Amino acid sequence: MAVTLQSTRFGPLEIPEDAVLEFPQGLIGLGGSRYTLLARSDDAAFVWLHSLEDPALALPLTNPWRFFDSYEVEIADDEADRLGVDAAGDTAVYVTVRAAEALEDFSANLRAPILVSGGFGHQVINQAPDAPVRAPLFSTSAEKAA
């Protein structure tokens, strides 16, 4: 059974039940526990994590490896077991994007990635040593190209 989302950003949307993500521990600093991912296409660089409980709450996310080749997520084994995530490849990883007026000011939060697996989402604290809260998205890309 589909869920109807009355998004203030995107208008009314029908969300298939299997696209609903439950966040048992919620998201850091945000309310609600039911979200969905919205994308223009399968290969979109950015997706929206949209609350199903707050029609005005949508966060831009991206796959961190699109911008940071050496990005790593490190969480304790017991936490990974508790969350039901593993490194076998069936866990999708996203990072939140902070938009700005200028592209060079866009940044990603590499410290608190969102892990999605089996219909559940979890925002975790990344223990990797090089995971800043505000990693520039586009200056990093430009530096890699240089």
Side-chain angles (χ1 to χ4, degrees), residues 28-91:
I28 298 170
L30 299 174
S33 62
R34 297 182 74 212
Y35 289 82
T36 192
L37 290 169
L38 303 175
R40 289 189 183 272
S41 66
D42 289 342
D43 63 343
F46 300 97
V47 299
W48 291 92
L49 182 65
H50 202 302
S51 172
L52 296 177
E53 299 155 332
D54 181 346
L57 179 57
L59 301 171
L61 306 179
T62 192
N63 174 329
W65 290 284
R66 289 184 82 118
F67 297 92
F68 308 97
D69 293 340
S70 60
Y71 181 65
E72 293 180 22
V73 176
E74 292 180 14
I75 59 175
D77 289 343
D78 59 337
E79 185 175 7
D81 290 344
R82 182 179 62 81
L83 300 176
V85 298
D86 60 36
D90 65 344
T91 301

Side-chain angles (χ1 to χ4, degrees), residues 19-23 37 49 61 83-86 89-94 113-123:
V20 174
L21 300 173
E22 298 287 340
F23 283 78
L37 290 169
L49 182 65
L61 306 179
L83 300 176
V85 298
D86 60 36
D90 65 344
T91 301
V93 178
Y94 297 95
I114 294 171
L115 310 180
V116 174
S117 178
F120 291 94
H122 305 279
Q123 189 168 26

